[in-house]
Amino acid sequence: MGMGAEIRKKLAKRAAQEIKQGMLVNLGIGIPSLVPDFLPKNFPVMFHAENGIIGMGPSPESGKEDGNLCNAGGHPVTLQTGGSYCDSATAFGIIRSERIDLTILGALQVSGNGDLANWIVPGKRIPGMGGAMDLAAKAKKVIVVMNHFDKSGASKLVKACTLPLTAPNCVHMIITELGVFTVTFEGLVLTDLFETYTFDDVVAKTDTEVKRANHIRIIKER
Amino acid sequence: MTENMFKKVTNRSSLTPLFKDGMSILFGGFGGVGTPPGLVDLILETGIKNLTLIGTDAGFPDIGIGKVITKKRAKKLIVSHIGSNPNAGAYMNAGELEIEFSPQGTLIERIRAGGMGLGGILSDIGIEAEIVNRNKEKVKVAEKEYLIEPAITSDVAIVYAKKADDYGNLIFDKSARNSNPFVATAGKITIVEALEIVPCGTLNPEEIITPGVFVDYIVESKGVNWQWAWEQK
């Protein structure tokens, strides 16, 4: 999405802090796939993949790839100790029955009340929803990691999504290169700022109302 | 037991008469992983067209079911995703290909319902989305609203397995299992391409994923004959 590697890592690192011990976590493609790099070694978490992996491990070293062991994006992965394989119906049954503790996804737009649009640009790109609707609607916690602005420079945080929704009122947290937002009944609340930005910057650059948390944490670049 | 006493193990050329213009074909696989490469090629070789292809996604242009789509043999897809096969999107935009999108979890349950003798399933996934709820009835159960999602069956189902025995008992390989166990149940005729065919009694009965009762024909696989996206560098 035209975002530098350092910024992508910064967002992934912040998202990783939301992963707690024992969680079952589903990661989307793009920045979310970088999140495991920022977890402590041997952190007890299981990664779920829609194509039937519970306990997905990192990419294998070059030359050890297995064409029959890939993530939902089609890239070779490994199985962590304690992991298992299942069919697609079970993989999605796990999602629908609300056993995914956390999903971290990309987005095209998110509204102040947590509506998510991340699967279609009408008239431009119609990839299909894949598993996005299932995940957005049924994961216990949905975190969006995305660029704050679209290609035209417009805020992707909006009052109301203009793109078709993946699921309404499903997003709990949004992490952009400016800061971290929590979705509350009163709208977006800014909880973290990446250093160099101010609360006023964020308000000016965001197309929906943003409230200030009682305490705003400043995230240093290093 | 004597070898092949259920007469299911056969060769690809003897399967040719099963493939007909205008038929519906359920295919196993996810992004081509778990799609039977030899049966995809057989579909292409038979020259059949106007197909309705049903499965998780449209594969890649040269991978999995994507090869059949690229050659314009399909008139309709029922899938959850076409993002990895730009040809599918281009043909759809040109009005040459009809695509019915179904959320992935719903689609596999519709296939499972078809295979398990049910009329459909109730799901609330995408209930507010026009692309999902179009022409579907809603029903309330215990105060909660659901869409009635109709079951799916097909004329033929094609499946990729790691091992099959002579009866068609199947085990699969890692994430290549994906939709295959339920695709295997929902075809009027189910054809399995297996990397290894073994005599009955070889597979551990406790570890068989798909019982052979669902399988009509078994052919041996030569394995994947395409390059994966991650190999194309």
Side-chain angles (χ1 to χ4, degrees), chain A residues 51 65-70 72 74 76 85 87-89 92 96 119 126-131 134 138, chain B residues 30 33 80-83 101-105 108-109 124 131 173-179 182 228 230:
Chain A
N51 55 334
E65 297 93 348
D66 180 340
N68 285 343
L69 181 46
C70 289
Y85 306 111
D87 58 72
S88 303
F92 278 90
R96 270 195 316 271
W119 74 277
I126 306 177
M129 70 291 281
D134 304 72
K138 299 296 183 179
Chain B
F30 189 118
V33 177
S80 72
H81 199 256
I82 61 168
F101 286 110
S102 195
Q104 199 169 132
I108 188 67
E109 287 297 333
D124 64 347
I131 194 166
D173 192 24
K174 307 182 194 80
S175 67
R177 183 187 312 184
N178 56 64
S179 62
F182 295 110
W228 297 109
W230 52 269

mmCIF file of all heavy atoms in Angstrom, chain A residues 51 65-70 72 74 76 85 87-89 92 96 119 126-131 134 138, chain B residues 30 33 80-83 101-105 108-109 124 131 173-179 182 228 230:
data_model
loop_
_atom_site.group_PDB
_atom_site.id
_atom_site.type_symbol
_atom_site.label_atom_id
_atom_site.label_comp_id
_atom_site.label_asym_id
_atom_site.label_seq_id
_atom_site.Cartn_x
_atom_site.Cartn_y
_atom_site.Cartn_z
ATOM 1 N N ASN A 51 -7.489 -22.093 5.577
ATOM 2 C CA ASN A 51 -7.354 -23.290 4.747
ATOM 3 C C ASN A 51 -7.074 -24.532 5.589
ATOM 4 O O ASN A 51 -6.710 -25.576 5.040
ATOM 5 C CB ASN A 51 -6.284 -23.090 3.675
ATOM 6 C CG ASN A 51 -4.951 -22.678 4.248
ATOM 7 O OD1 ASN A 51 -4.884 -22.086 5.315
ATOM 8 N ND2 ASN A 51 -3.889 -22.992 3.550
ATOM 9 N N GLU A 65 10.482 -25.570 1.437
ATOM 10 C CA GLU A 65 9.064 -25.292 1.237
ATOM 11 C C GLU A 65 8.321 -26.565 0.831
ATOM 12 O O GLU A 65 8.880 -27.431 0.158
ATOM 13 C CB GLU A 65 8.862 -24.240 0.126
ATOM 14 C CG GLU A 65 9.449 -22.876 0.426
ATOM 15 C CD GLU A 65 10.866 -22.735 -0.110
ATOM 16 O OE1 GLU A 65 11.485 -23.759 -0.507
ATOM 17 O OE2 GLU A 65 11.350 -21.578 -0.133
ATOM 18 N N ASP A 66 7.066 -26.671 1.263
ATOM 19 C CA ASP A 66 6.203 -27.791 0.904
ATOM 20 C C ASP A 66 4.955 -27.204 0.242
ATOM 21 O O ASP A 66 4.216 -26.443 0.867
ATOM 22 C CB ASP A 66 5.830 -28.551 2.195
ATOM 23 C CG ASP A 66 4.929 -29.754 1.933
ATOM 24 O OD1 ASP A 66 4.280 -29.797 0.862
ATOM 25 O OD2 ASP A 66 4.863 -30.641 2.799
ATOM 26 N N GLY A 67 4.744 -27.558 -1.026
ATOM 27 C CA GLY A 67 3.601 -27.014 -1.769
ATOM 28 C C GLY A 67 2.262 -27.335 -1.130
ATOM 29 O O GLY A 67 1.272 -26.655 -1.409
ATOM 30 N N ASN A 68 2.212 -28.357 -0.297
ATOM 31 C CA ASN A 68 0.958 -28.719 0.365
ATOM 32 C C ASN A 68 0.855 -28.166 1.782
ATOM 33 O O ASN A 68 0.008 -28.606 2.555
ATOM 34 C CB ASN A 68 0.791 -30.239 0.395
ATOM 35 C CG ASN A 68 0.395 -30.769 -0.971
ATOM 36 O OD1 ASN A 68 -0.047 -30.016 -1.844
ATOM 37 N ND2 ASN A 68 0.559 -32.067 -1.165
ATOM 38 N N LEU A 69 1.743 -27.252 2.125
ATOM 39 C CA LEU A 69 1.657 -26.606 3.446
ATOM 40 C C LEU A 69 1.839 -25.107 3.265
ATOM 41 O O LEU A 69 2.954 -24.580 3.303
ATOM 42 C CB LEU A 69 2.708 -27.188 4.408
ATOM 43 C CG LEU A 69 2.709 -26.629 5.836
ATOM 44 C CD1 LEU A 69 1.323 -26.535 6.429
ATOM 45 C CD2 LEU A 69 3.613 -27.458 6.727
ATOM 46 N N CYS A 70 0.702 -24.455 3.011
ATOM 47 C CA CYS A 70 0.715 -23.021 2.719
ATOM 48 C C CYS A 70 -0.301 -22.318 3.597
ATOM 49 O O CYS A 70 -1.243 -22.929 4.091
ATOM 50 C CB CYS A 70 0.361 -22.771 1.259
ATOM 51 S SG CYS A 70 1.665 -23.274 0.128
ATOM 52 N N ALA A 72 -3.201 -19.052 4.011
ATOM 53 C CA ALA A 72 -4.352 -18.714 3.178
ATOM 54 C C ALA A 72 -3.970 -17.793 2.022
ATOM 55 O O ALA A 72 -4.715 -17.659 1.057
ATOM 56 C CB ALA A 72 -5.447 -18.081 4.034
ATOM 57 N N GLY A 74 -1.346 -18.446 0.226
ATOM 58 C CA GLY A 74 -0.634 -19.301 -0.726
ATOM 59 C C GLY A 74 0.862 -19.351 -0.516
ATOM 60 O O GLY A 74 1.593 -19.886 -1.359
ATOM 61 N N PRO A 76 4.307 -20.636 1.508
ATOM 62 C CA PRO A 76 4.707 -21.783 2.331
ATOM 63 C C PRO A 76 4.879 -21.389 3.792
ATOM 64 O O PRO A 76 5.425 -20.329 4.093
ATOM 65 C CB PRO A 76 6.047 -22.202 1.729
ATOM 66 C CG PRO A 76 6.052 -21.642 0.351
ATOM 67 C CD PRO A 76 5.266 -20.377 0.430
ATOM 68 N N TYR A 85 -3.995 -30.095 11.371
ATOM 69 C CA TYR A 85 -4.665 -29.744 10.122
ATOM 70 C C TYR A 85 -6.135 -30.113 10.242
ATOM 71 O O TYR A 85 -6.498 -31.069 10.935
ATOM 72 C CB TYR A 85 -4.057 -30.507 8.942
ATOM 73 C CG TYR A 85 -2.565 -30.325 8.844
ATOM 74 C CD1 TYR A 85 -1.691 -31.373 9.101
ATOM 75 C CD2 TYR A 85 -2.039 -29.084 8.512
ATOM 76 C CE1 TYR A 85 -0.319 -31.183 9.023
ATOM 77 C CE2 TYR A 85 -0.665 -28.887 8.431
ATOM 78 C CZ TYR A 85 0.190 -29.943 8.686
ATOM 79 O OH TYR A 85 1.538 -29.758 8.617
ATOM 80 N N ASP A 87 -10.195 -29.771 7.881
ATOM 81 C CA ASP A 87 -10.841 -29.409 6.619
ATOM 82 C C ASP A 87 -11.382 -27.985 6.713
ATOM 83 O O ASP A 87 -11.452 -27.401 7.793
ATOM 84 C CB ASP A 87 -11.955 -30.402 6.312
ATOM 85 C CG ASP A 87 -12.982 -30.434 7.422
ATOM 86 O OD1 ASP A 87 -13.753 -29.460 7.543
ATOM 87 O OD2 ASP A 87 -12.991 -31.410 8.192
ATOM 88 N N SER A 88 -11.813 -27.440 5.562
ATOM 89 C CA SER A 88 -12.295 -26.053 5.504
ATOM 90 C C SER A 88 -13.524 -25.845 6.372
ATOM 91 O O SER A 88 -13.696 -24.774 6.960
ATOM 92 C CB SER A 88 -12.655 -25.677 4.077
ATOM 93 O OG SER A 88 -11.575 -25.856 3.215
ATOM 94 N N ALA A 89 -14.409 -26.832 6.432
ATOM 95 C CA ALA A 89 -15.641 -26.664 7.206
ATOM 96 C C ALA A 89 -15.305 -26.486 8.687
ATOM 97 O O ALA A 89 -15.882 -25.636 9.368
ATOM 98 C CB ALA A 89 -16.569 -27.860 7.003
ATOM 99 N N PHE A 92 -13.719 -23.021 9.316
ATOM 100 C CA PHE A 92 -14.707 -21.944 9.377
ATOM 101 C C PHE A 92 -15.699 -22.135 10.515
ATOM 102 O O PHE A 92 -16.234 -21.148 11.028
ATOM 103 C CB PHE A 92 -15.401 -21.767 8.026
ATOM 104 C CG PHE A 92 -14.563 -20.927 7.102
ATOM 105 C CD1 PHE A 92 -13.629 -21.512 6.271
ATOM 106 C CD2 PHE A 92 -14.670 -19.548 7.118
ATOM 107 C CE1 PHE A 92 -12.816 -20.741 5.464
ATOM 108 C CE2 PHE A 92 -13.867 -18.767 6.321
ATOM 109 C CZ PHE A 92 -12.936 -19.357 5.481
ATOM 110 N N ARG A 96 -16.926 -19.231 12.976
ATOM 111 C CA ARG A 96 -18.336 -18.869 13.229
ATOM 112 C C ARG A 96 -18.746 -19.097 14.680
ATOM 113 O O ARG A 96 -19.578 -18.381 15.216
ATOM 114 C CB ARG A 96 -19.268 -19.652 12.304
ATOM 115 C CG ARG A 96 -19.563 -18.987 10.975
ATOM 116 C CD ARG A 96 -20.757 -19.664 10.309
ATOM 117 N NE ARG A 96 -20.620 -21.098 10.429
ATOM 118 C CZ ARG A 96 -19.984 -21.868 9.557
ATOM 119 N NH1 ARG A 96 -19.482 -21.355 8.471
ATOM 120 N NH2 ARG A 96 -19.870 -23.157 9.763
ATOM 121 N N TRP A 119 -13.237 -5.520 1.304
ATOM 122 C CA TRP A 119 -13.204 -6.600 0.317
ATOM 123 C C TRP A 119 -13.544 -6.188 -1.103
ATOM 124 O O TRP A 119 -13.350 -6.975 -2.024
ATOM 125 C CB TRP A 119 -14.107 -7.755 0.757
ATOM 126 C CG TRP A 119 -15.567 -7.497 0.620
ATOM 127 C CD1 TRP A 119 -16.366 -6.840 1.498
ATOM 128 C CD2 TRP A 119 -16.406 -7.899 -0.463
ATOM 129 N NE1 TRP A 119 -17.640 -6.805 1.036
ATOM 130 C CE2 TRP A 119 -17.703 -7.451 -0.167
ATOM 131 C CE3 TRP A 119 -16.187 -8.599 -1.656
ATOM 132 C CZ2 TRP A 119 -18.785 -7.663 -1.021
ATOM 133 C CZ3 TRP A 119 -17.261 -8.817 -2.497
ATOM 134 C CH2 TRP A 119 -18.547 -8.349 -2.173
ATOM 135 N N ILE A 126 -13.065 -6.552 -7.857
ATOM 136 C CA ILE A 126 -14.057 -7.390 -7.182
ATOM 137 C C ILE A 126 -13.426 -8.744 -6.910
ATOM 138 O O ILE A 126 -13.618 -9.692 -7.658
ATOM 139 C CB ILE A 126 -15.337 -7.520 -8.034
ATOM 140 C CG1 ILE A 126 -15.851 -6.117 -8.397
ATOM 141 C CG2 ILE A 126 -16.397 -8.303 -7.267
ATOM 142 C CD1 ILE A 126 -17.065 -6.102 -9.280
ATOM 143 N N PRO A 127 -12.610 -8.832 -5.861
ATOM 144 C CA PRO A 127 -11.919 -10.104 -5.616
ATOM 145 C C PRO A 127 -12.810 -11.168 -4.981
ATOM 146 O O PRO A 127 -12.487 -12.338 -5.031
ATOM 147 C CB PRO A 127 -10.801 -9.707 -4.654
ATOM 148 C CG PRO A 127 -11.336 -8.525 -3.923
ATOM 149 C CD PRO A 127 -12.237 -7.797 -4.889
ATOM 150 N N GLY A 128 -13.940 -10.746 -4.397
ATOM 151 C CA GLY A 128 -14.738 -11.699 -3.616
ATOM 152 C C GLY A 128 -14.359 -11.594 -2.156
ATOM 153 O O GLY A 128 -13.266 -11.155 -1.810
ATOM 154 N N MET A 129 -15.262 -12.017 -1.299
ATOM 155 C CA MET A 129 -15.052 -11.813 0.137
ATOM 156 C C MET A 129 -14.171 -12.884 0.759
ATOM 157 O O MET A 129 -13.668 -12.679 1.859
ATOM 158 C CB MET A 129 -16.399 -11.734 0.872
ATOM 159 C CG MET A 129 -17.194 -13.029 0.965
ATOM 160 S SD MET A 129 -17.853 -13.596 -0.635
ATOM 161 C CE MET A 129 -19.280 -12.542 -0.824
ATOM 162 N N GLY A 130 -13.967 -14.010 0.055
ATOM 163 C CA GLY A 130 -13.174 -15.082 0.659
ATOM 164 C C GLY A 130 -13.700 -15.389 2.046
ATOM 165 O O GLY A 130 -14.903 -15.570 2.233
ATOM 166 N N GLY A 131 -12.818 -15.381 3.043
ATOM 167 C CA GLY A 131 -13.242 -15.630 4.419
ATOM 168 C C GLY A 131 -13.386 -14.354 5.232
ATOM 169 O O GLY A 131 -13.577 -14.414 6.447
ATOM 170 N N ASP A 134 -16.752 -13.838 7.290
ATOM 171 C CA ASP A 134 -16.814 -14.771 8.425
ATOM 172 C C ASP A 134 -15.946 -14.249 9.574
ATOM 173 O O ASP A 134 -16.380 -14.192 10.728
ATOM 174 C CB ASP A 134 -16.296 -16.160 8.014
ATOM 175 C CG ASP A 134 -17.035 -16.746 6.828
ATOM 176 O OD1 ASP A 134 -16.836 -16.242 5.697
ATOM 177 O OD2 ASP A 134 -17.802 -17.693 7.004
ATOM 178 N N LYS A 138 -17.253 -12.610 13.231
ATOM 179 C CA LYS A 138 -17.284 -13.594 14.314
ATOM 180 C C LYS A 138 -16.040 -13.666 15.189
ATOM 181 O O LYS A 138 -16.068 -14.347 16.216
ATOM 182 C CB LYS A 138 -17.565 -14.979 13.736
ATOM 183 C CG LYS A 138 -18.914 -15.092 13.015
ATOM 184 C CD LYS A 138 -20.089 -14.888 13.950
ATOM 185 C CE LYS A 138 -21.409 -15.085 13.224
ATOM 186 N NZ LYS A 138 -22.575 -14.914 14.096
ATOM 187 N N PHE B 30 -7.603 -24.968 -2.471
ATOM 188 C CA PHE B 30 -7.585 -23.607 -1.925
ATOM 189 C C PHE B 30 -6.366 -22.945 -2.556
ATOM 190 O O PHE B 30 -5.239 -23.323 -2.274
ATOM 191 C CB PHE B 30 -7.445 -23.691 -0.403
ATOM 192 C CG PHE B 30 -7.625 -22.406 0.345
ATOM 193 C CD1 PHE B 30 -8.659 -22.268 1.260
ATOM 194 C CD2 PHE B 30 -6.764 -21.326 0.161
ATOM 195 C CE1 PHE B 30 -8.822 -21.093 1.979
ATOM 196 C CE2 PHE B 30 -6.936 -20.152 0.878
ATOM 197 C CZ PHE B 30 -7.965 -20.029 1.785
ATOM 198 N N VAL B 33 -3.846 -25.322 -4.052
ATOM 199 C CA VAL B 33 -3.310 -26.345 -3.148
ATOM 200 C C VAL B 33 -4.436 -27.340 -2.868
ATOM 201 O O VAL B 33 -5.483 -26.963 -2.345
ATOM 202 C CB VAL B 33 -2.804 -25.716 -1.829
ATOM 203 C CG1 VAL B 33 -2.323 -26.803 -0.868
ATOM 204 C CG2 VAL B 33 -1.710 -24.705 -2.102
ATOM 205 N N SER B 80 -15.749 -18.191 -3.431
ATOM 206 C CA SER B 80 -15.703 -17.108 -2.448
ATOM 207 C C SER B 80 -14.714 -16.027 -2.858
ATOM 208 O O SER B 80 -14.771 -14.914 -2.369
ATOM 209 C CB SER B 80 -15.323 -17.648 -1.068
ATOM 210 O OG SER B 80 -13.960 -18.025 -1.034
ATOM 211 N N HIS B 81 -13.804 -16.365 -3.770
ATOM 212 C CA HIS B 81 -12.690 -15.449 -4.044
ATOM 213 C C HIS B 81 -12.137 -15.680 -5.438
ATOM 214 O O HIS B 81 -11.956 -16.823 -5.842
ATOM 215 C CB HIS B 81 -11.587 -15.688 -3.002
ATOM 216 C CG HIS B 81 -10.628 -14.568 -2.870
ATOM 217 N ND1 HIS B 81 -9.362 -14.617 -3.391
ATOM 218 C CD2 HIS B 81 -10.748 -13.353 -2.291
ATOM 219 C CE1 HIS B 81 -8.737 -13.470 -3.122
ATOM 220 N NE2 HIS B 81 -9.559 -12.696 -2.462
ATOM 221 N N ILE B 82 -11.876 -14.562 -6.161
ATOM 222 C CA ILE B 82 -11.236 -14.690 -7.479
ATOM 223 C C ILE B 82 -9.996 -13.810 -7.575
ATOM 224 O O ILE B 82 -9.405 -13.665 -8.644
ATOM 225 C CB ILE B 82 -12.207 -14.310 -8.627
ATOM 226 C CG1 ILE B 82 -12.668 -12.848 -8.479
ATOM 227 C CG2 ILE B 82 -13.409 -15.258 -8.665
ATOM 228 C CD1 ILE B 82 -13.386 -12.303 -9.711
ATOM 229 N N GLY B 83 -9.592 -13.221 -6.444
ATOM 230 C CA GLY B 83 -8.532 -12.213 -6.453
ATOM 231 C C GLY B 83 -7.200 -12.705 -7.006
ATOM 232 O O GLY B 83 -6.420 -11.924 -7.531
ATOM 233 N N PHE B 101 -20.792 -15.193 -5.739
ATOM 234 C CA PHE B 101 -19.895 -15.176 -4.586
ATOM 235 C C PHE B 101 -20.633 -15.658 -3.342
ATOM 236 O O PHE B 101 -21.755 -15.242 -3.070
ATOM 237 C CB PHE B 101 -19.363 -13.764 -4.326
ATOM 238 C CG PHE B 101 -18.325 -13.306 -5.314
ATOM 239 C CD1 PHE B 101 -18.611 -12.318 -6.237
ATOM 240 C CD2 PHE B 101 -17.059 -13.869 -5.309
ATOM 241 C CE1 PHE B 101 -17.649 -11.891 -7.143
ATOM 242 C CE2 PHE B 101 -16.089 -13.455 -6.212
ATOM 243 C CZ PHE B 101 -16.387 -12.454 -7.138
ATOM 244 N N SER B 102 -19.975 -16.513 -2.593
ATOM 245 C CA SER B 102 -20.530 -17.002 -1.344
ATOM 246 C C SER B 102 -19.421 -16.891 -0.302
ATOM 247 O O SER B 102 -18.274 -17.250 -0.590
ATOM 248 C CB SER B 102 -20.953 -18.466 -1.547
ATOM 249 O OG SER B 102 -21.793 -18.905 -0.517
ATOM 250 N N PRO B 103 -19.711 -16.383 0.888
ATOM 251 C CA PRO B 103 -18.648 -16.348 1.911
ATOM 252 C C PRO B 103 -18.049 -17.742 2.095
ATOM 253 O O PRO B 103 -18.768 -18.739 2.073
ATOM 254 C CB PRO B 103 -19.377 -15.887 3.171
ATOM 255 C CG PRO B 103 -20.584 -15.166 2.680
ATOM 256 C CD PRO B 103 -20.989 -15.881 1.420
ATOM 257 N N GLN B 104 -16.751 -17.787 2.294
ATOM 258 C CA GLN B 104 -16.060 -19.078 2.221
ATOM 259 C C GLN B 104 -16.583 -20.119 3.211
ATOM 260 O O GLN B 104 -16.735 -21.291 2.855
ATOM 261 C CB GLN B 104 -14.571 -18.859 2.435
ATOM 262 C CG GLN B 104 -13.758 -20.008 1.941
ATOM 263 C CD GLN B 104 -12.279 -19.705 1.912
ATOM 264 O OE1 GLN B 104 -11.497 -20.491 2.377
ATOM 265 N NE2 GLN B 104 -11.895 -18.572 1.373
ATOM 266 N N GLY B 105 -16.864 -19.675 4.426
ATOM 267 C CA GLY B 105 -17.378 -20.623 5.414
ATOM 268 C C GLY B 105 -18.780 -21.098 5.071
ATOM 269 O O GLY B 105 -19.152 -22.251 5.345
ATOM 270 N N ILE B 108 -18.557 -23.703 2.003
ATOM 271 C CA ILE B 108 -18.171 -25.079 2.333
ATOM 272 C C ILE B 108 -19.298 -25.788 3.078
ATOM 273 O O ILE B 108 -19.521 -26.991 2.889
ATOM 274 C CB ILE B 108 -16.822 -25.121 3.097
ATOM 275 C CG1 ILE B 108 -16.321 -26.566 3.258
ATOM 276 C CG2 ILE B 108 -16.900 -24.469 4.463
ATOM 277 C CD1 ILE B 108 -15.921 -27.246 1.980
ATOM 278 N N GLU B 109 -20.066 -25.034 3.888
ATOM 279 C CA GLU B 109 -21.208 -25.666 4.566
ATOM 280 C C GLU B 109 -22.322 -26.006 3.581
ATOM 281 O O GLU B 109 -23.034 -27.000 3.751
ATOM 282 C CB GLU B 109 -21.746 -24.764 5.677
ATOM 283 C CG GLU B 109 -20.857 -24.691 6.910
ATOM 284 C CD GLU B 109 -20.689 -26.031 7.636
ATOM 285 O OE1 GLU B 109 -21.583 -26.893 7.547
ATOM 286 O OE2 GLU B 109 -19.646 -26.214 8.277
ATOM 287 N N ASP B 124 -25.777 -16.477 9.419
ATOM 288 C CA ASP B 124 -25.967 -15.019 9.449
ATOM 289 C C ASP B 124 -24.777 -14.282 8.839
ATOM 290 O O ASP B 124 -24.724 -13.059 8.872
ATOM 291 C CB ASP B 124 -26.245 -14.526 10.871
ATOM 292 C CG ASP B 124 -25.068 -14.760 11.812
ATOM 293 O OD1 ASP B 124 -24.144 -15.514 11.445
ATOM 294 O OD2 ASP B 124 -25.075 -14.184 12.916
ATOM 295 N N ILE B 131 -24.755 -8.708 -1.857
ATOM 296 C CA ILE B 131 -24.146 -9.758 -2.691
ATOM 297 C C ILE B 131 -24.406 -11.146 -2.099
ATOM 298 O O ILE B 131 -24.432 -12.145 -2.820
ATOM 299 C CB ILE B 131 -22.627 -9.493 -2.863
ATOM 300 C CG1 ILE B 131 -22.065 -10.353 -3.990
ATOM 301 C CG2 ILE B 131 -21.870 -9.709 -1.558
ATOM 302 C CD1 ILE B 131 -20.701 -9.940 -4.456
ATOM 303 N N ASP B 173 -3.069 -34.498 2.498
ATOM 304 C CA ASP B 173 -1.747 -34.012 2.865
ATOM 305 C C ASP B 173 -1.818 -32.587 3.409
ATOM 306 O O ASP B 173 -2.094 -31.654 2.668
ATOM 307 C CB ASP B 173 -0.819 -34.079 1.644
ATOM 308 C CG ASP B 173 0.641 -33.872 2.026
ATOM 309 O OD1 ASP B 173 0.992 -34.133 3.195
ATOM 310 O OD2 ASP B 173 1.423 -33.432 1.164
ATOM 311 N N LYS B 174 -1.592 -32.439 4.690
ATOM 312 C CA LYS B 174 -1.451 -31.121 5.347
ATOM 313 C C LYS B 174 -2.561 -30.160 4.918
ATOM 314 O O LYS B 174 -3.731 -30.515 4.957
ATOM 315 C CB LYS B 174 -0.050 -30.553 5.063
ATOM 316 C CG LYS B 174 1.072 -31.519 5.415
ATOM 317 C CD LYS B 174 2.437 -30.903 5.160
ATOM 318 C CE LYS B 174 3.509 -31.956 5.178
ATOM 319 N NZ LYS B 174 3.577 -32.702 3.898
ATOM 320 N N SER B 175 -2.160 -28.954 4.479
ATOM 321 C CA SER B 175 -3.195 -27.964 4.142
ATOM 322 C C SER B 175 -3.808 -28.221 2.763
ATOM 323 O O SER B 175 -4.652 -27.457 2.304
ATOM 324 C CB SER B 175 -2.650 -26.540 4.232
ATOM 325 O OG SER B 175 -1.676 -26.295 3.249
ATOM 326 N N ALA B 176 -3.400 -29.288 2.092
ATOM 327 C CA ALA B 176 -4.056 -29.669 0.830
ATOM 328 C C ALA B 176 -5.360 -30.433 1.089
ATOM 329 O O ALA B 176 -6.055 -30.814 0.163
ATOM 330 C CB ALA B 176 -3.111 -30.518 -0.027
ATOM 331 N N ARG B 177 -5.684 -30.649 2.365
ATOM 332 C CA ARG B 177 -6.973 -31.280 2.686
ATOM 333 C C ARG B 177 -8.108 -30.294 2.374
ATOM 334 O O ARG B 177 -9.024 -30.599 1.651
ATOM 335 C CB ARG B 177 -7.019 -31.661 4.167
ATOM 336 C CG ARG B 177 -8.297 -32.383 4.532
ATOM 337 C CD ARG B 177 -8.471 -32.627 6.024
ATOM 338 N NE ARG B 177 -7.281 -33.200 6.673
ATOM 339 C CZ ARG B 177 -7.239 -33.561 7.943
ATOM 340 N NH1 ARG B 177 -8.307 -33.427 8.710
ATOM 341 N NH2 ARG B 177 -6.134 -34.039 8.474
ATOM 342 N N ASN B 178 -8.058 -29.135 2.961
ATOM 343 C CA ASN B 178 -9.025 -28.028 2.859
ATOM 344 C C ASN B 178 -10.441 -28.479 2.487
ATOM 345 O O ASN B 178 -11.106 -29.144 3.272
ATOM 346 C CB ASN B 178 -8.470 -26.875 2.004
ATOM 347 C CG ASN B 178 -8.033 -27.242 0.610
ATOM 348 O OD1 ASN B 178 -8.837 -27.648 -0.203
ATOM 349 N ND2 ASN B 178 -6.739 -27.084 0.331
ATOM 350 N N SER B 179 -10.936 -28.158 1.302
ATOM 351 C CA SER B 179 -12.337 -28.457 0.974
ATOM 352 C C SER B 179 -12.550 -29.894 0.493
ATOM 353 O O SER B 179 -13.689 -30.338 0.331
ATOM 354 C CB SER B 179 -12.846 -27.482 -0.085
ATOM 355 O OG SER B 179 -12.101 -27.624 -1.282
ATOM 356 N N PHE B 182 -15.247 -32.593 1.839
ATOM 357 C CA PHE B 182 -16.671 -32.344 1.609
ATOM 358 C C PHE B 182 -17.010 -32.262 0.139
ATOM 359 O O PHE B 182 -18.107 -32.642 -0.269
ATOM 360 C CB PHE B 182 -17.132 -31.119 2.396
ATOM 361 C CG PHE B 182 -17.031 -31.404 3.859
ATOM 362 C CD1 PHE B 182 -16.086 -30.789 4.643
ATOM 363 C CD2 PHE B 182 -17.831 -32.384 4.430
ATOM 364 C CE1 PHE B 182 -15.953 -31.122 5.984
ATOM 365 C CE2 PHE B 182 -17.705 -32.728 5.759
ATOM 366 C CZ PHE B 182 -16.763 -32.096 6.536
ATOM 367 N N TRP B 228 4.200 -23.079 -8.407
ATOM 368 C CA TRP B 228 3.483 -22.248 -7.447
ATOM 369 C C TRP B 228 3.930 -20.795 -7.574
ATOM 370 O O TRP B 228 5.044 -20.520 -8.006
ATOM 371 C CB TRP B 228 3.737 -22.739 -6.017
ATOM 372 C CG TRP B 228 3.236 -24.113 -5.766
ATOM 373 C CD1 TRP B 228 3.981 -25.240 -5.583
ATOM 374 C CD2 TRP B 228 1.867 -24.536 -5.693
ATOM 375 N NE1 TRP B 228 3.157 -26.337 -5.390
ATOM 376 C CE2 TRP B 228 1.857 -25.917 -5.454
ATOM 377 C CE3 TRP B 228 0.642 -23.871 -5.805
ATOM 378 C CZ2 TRP B 228 0.672 -26.655 -5.325
ATOM 379 C CZ3 TRP B 228 -0.535 -24.593 -5.677
ATOM 380 C CH2 TRP B 228 -0.504 -25.973 -5.443
ATOM 381 N N TRP B 230 4.871 -18.830 -5.360
ATOM 382 C CA TRP B 230 6.086 -18.548 -4.578
ATOM 383 C C TRP B 230 7.337 -19.120 -5.224
ATOM 384 O O TRP B 230 8.457 -18.798 -4.838
ATOM 385 C CB TRP B 230 5.945 -19.053 -3.141
ATOM 386 C CG TRP B 230 5.517 -20.494 -3.000
ATOM 387 C CD1 TRP B 230 4.244 -20.956 -2.900
ATOM 388 C CD2 TRP B 230 6.362 -21.643 -2.957
ATOM 389 N NE1 TRP B 230 4.241 -22.330 -2.792
ATOM 390 C CE2 TRP B 230 5.516 -22.773 -2.826
ATOM 391 C CE3 TRP B 230 7.749 -21.835 -3.017
ATOM 392 C CZ2 TRP B 230 6.020 -24.078 -2.764
ATOM 393 C CZ3 TRP B 230 8.245 -23.137 -2.947
ATOM 394 C CH2 TRP B 230 7.387 -24.232 -2.816
#
